[in-house]
Amino acid sequence: MSDVNIFKQPKPFYLIFSIEFWERFGFYGMNAILTVYMVKILNMPESASFTLFGAFTALIYGSVALGGWVGDKVLGTKRTITLGAIVLTIGYALLGLSASHGNDSQSMIYIAMGFIAMGNGLFKANPSSLLAKVYGENDPRLDGAFTMYYMAVNLGSFFSMLLTPWIADKFGYDFAFSLSAIGLIITVANFIVSKKTVQDVGSPADMKPINNFYLLCVVIGTLALSFVSSFLLQHLFYAHAILVVAGIAIVSLYFKEAFSTSGNERAKMLVAFVLMLQGVVFFVLYFQMPTSLNFFAIHNVEHSIFGISVAPEQFQALNPMWIMLASPFLAILYNKLGERFSMPFKFAFGMVLCSFAFLILPIGAKFANSQSIINSGWLVASYLFQSLGELLVSGLGLAMVAQLVPQRMMGFAMGMWFLTSATAAVIGGWVASLTAVPSNIVDPHQTLIIYSKVFNEIGFGTAAIALITLLIAPRLTRIIYAKDTTEKVTATASA
């Protein structure tokens, strides 16, 4: 066993860790309160805010592949990180301005969201890409580095989800969104001041002098796409149509490539596709946190944990908290079970846990007090199940792609994994809208009936999918671990 100290990493790691922390701090702070802001300040119906949020999130994930390509081939990873952070700062600042003007500047929120979507697209794929380039081949510190890097994501989201709702409540949404902008300003300043730390690290484009023509093209393209995104968010039919067309095209290309191969390689690609479909189901549930679960906490959950008063939006901080606490235990479990706990079984058990996350809430509703308010412990438990499910599905998604898809298709397949999030965001917005409380209903007794019904349906629907995934997991596992002989794989796949 390797005796490697995961906390002893090269200097560039700590810079990349810090920029990821502050970027995620800004993003998840905005995420925690955005739908509530739309409803409370902009007077949108809950259903409209949920579907808009779904389309917005789909644009964010749908643009990740573009940002990765710009970082790898055009500007370089480091320049693309800086540009993405600047565009995000503009987006959060515009969001803060829209909040300071209230309902009078509703159109500004669409422009702000367009910039945030494109800024995220430029930024999101590049810090992890840069981190991978810090380490040489077979460097034993790499696994520990990515474990700690994932911790940066969760630390940033944990602190921002605690702070941002509190600031919104005490000082207003303009100050809360400004906090997200401050996080990105720190990111840009930190990266510029410390750029010597990573001067020898980057993509081939990083090692070349900056091409001002390329930079101008990317800036103009980013501005144009930000306004196009703003238009699409105001005309959701077109946004959804583009996603459908892009999804069909990408899946068709994936199957074309899969069926141009044979044997074990083809079988593994088909297994990866099945697991990606399971990923879509998971992310539909995941996107209930800033939407339906968030408003459930507002309407029907006591606003305290163990006697400590909390803003209802702060319950979302339970997700990164449970992930940070549970990750070491799951890592130990993985090491002990090895191949006996294969990727298909991990995904299947993740789905089981996600079904528990929703089924437990209608049970809690049966113990609501006379005002139809349930004890916060039920929501704490729900977030625990959901977070464990996330570690088994989302946390392993990229590892699954790397394990099952041929190296020549890795970039395309990674982009396809992010497409699962984009697709799920739109579906998740629609699912959340089923819980939307009409503006004329303020009685908690009535809202609890709505939430109990929909959460039951989500829970039982997920349980049915989980059962199917458990039944097919042994067959998928046999395909993954089959020897690379066409005869054996063909026999296994057709069994």
Side-chain angles (χ1 to χ4, degrees), residues 193-227:
V193 169
S194 307
K195 64 182 178 181
K196 285 187 178 178
T197 307
V198 288
Q199 65 181 359
D200 298 323
V201 182
S203 65
D206 277 299
M207 304 308 164
K208 299 175 183 175
I210 189 166
N211 185 311
N212 289 320
F213 175 72
Y214 287 174
L215 176 62
L216 181 63
C217 288
V218 171
V219 169
I220 292 172
T222 300
L223 289 172
L225 286 173
S226 297
F227 284 103

Side-chain angles (χ1 to χ4, degrees), residues 173-403:
Y173 284 89
D174 48 348
F175 279 96
F177 289 130
S178 297
L179 187 67
S180 291
I182 290 168
L184 269 297
I185 290 169
I186 293 171
T187 298
V188 174
N190 189 16
F191 205 45
I192 291 173
V193 169
S194 307
K195 64 182 178 181
K196 285 187 178 178
T197 307
V198 288
Q199 65 181 359
D200 298 323
V201 182
S203 65
D206 277 299
M207 304 308 164
K208 299 175 183 175
I210 189 166
N211 185 311
N212 289 320
F213 175 72
Y214 287 174
L215 176 62
L216 181 63
C217 288
V218 171
V219 169
I220 292 172
T222 300
L223 289 172
L225 286 173
S226 297
F227 284 103
V228 168
S229 298
S230 172
F231 172 83
L232 292 173
L233 291 171
Q234 295 174 74
H235 303 84
L236 294 182
F237 171 80
Y238 298 111
H240 295 162
I242 289 171
L243 180 65
V244 169
V245 171
I248 291 171
I250 290 170
V251 170
S252 298
L253 286 171
Y254 184 85
F255 273 99
K256 180 176 180 291
E257 186 67 27
F259 285 104
S260 69
T261 66
S262 61
N264 206 27
E265 187 172 278
R266 177 195 292 180
K268 284 186 176 182
M269 287 185 69
L270 297 178
V271 171
F273 183 75
V274 172
L275 296 180
M276 285 184 197
L277 291 179
Q278 293 178 34
V280 172
V281 176
F282 164 76
F283 283 114
V284 168
L285 306 178
Y286 177 83
F287 290 126
Q288 300 311 301
M289 284 190 272
T291 53
S292 62
L293 288 173
N294 202 8
F295 279 82
F296 175 60
I298 292 171
H299 293 305
N300 286 101
V301 179
E302 64 177 357
H303 297 168
S304 65
I305 299 179
F306 303 123
I308 302 169
S309 180
V310 296
E313 299 94 328
Q314 288 178 309
F315 281 105
Q316 293 170 86
L318 289 165
N319 174 241
M321 183 198 80
W322 283 130
I323 284 176
M324 288 187 287
L325 291 174
S327 293
F329 296 102
L330 278 180
I332 293 168
L333 183 67
Y334 295 162
N335 285 334
K336 281 190 174 294
L337 294 177
E339 290 184 6
R340 286 176 292 169
F341 196 27
S342 66
M343 196 75 73
F345 278 105
K346 288 170 184 171
F347 272 58
F349 279 109
M351 298 305 297
V352 171
L353 290 166
C354 288
S355 71
F356 288 168
F358 286 88
L359 290 173
I360 198 173
L361 295 175
I363 296 172
K366 297 181 186 299
F367 297 93
N369 63 21
S370 57
Q371 287 81 43
S372 287
I373 303 298
I374 73 166
N375 186 287
S376 60
W378 294 99
L379 192 55
V380 172
S382 175
Y383 270 98
L384 171 60
F385 287 127
Q386 182 89 331
S387 302
L388 291 172
E390 178 180 348
L391 284 169
L392 288 166
V393 181
S394 175
L396 296 171
L398 294 178
M400 176 273 294
V401 172
Q403 180 183 341

Side-chain angles (χ1 to χ4, degrees), residues 34-35 38 42 44-59 106 109-110 113 229-230 232-236 240 291 425-426 429-430:
L34 184 58
T35 52
M38 293 176 189
L42 300 183
M44 281 188 190
E46 284 185 19
S47 58
S49 76
F50 295 161
T51 51
L52 175 58
F53 181 84
F56 169 56
T57 308
L59 282 172
Q106 187 163 333
I109 189 176
Y110 295 106
M113 290 166 78
S229 298
S230 172
L232 292 173
L233 291 171
Q234 295 174 74
H235 303 84
L236 294 182
H240 295 162
T291 53
V426 172
W430 175 78

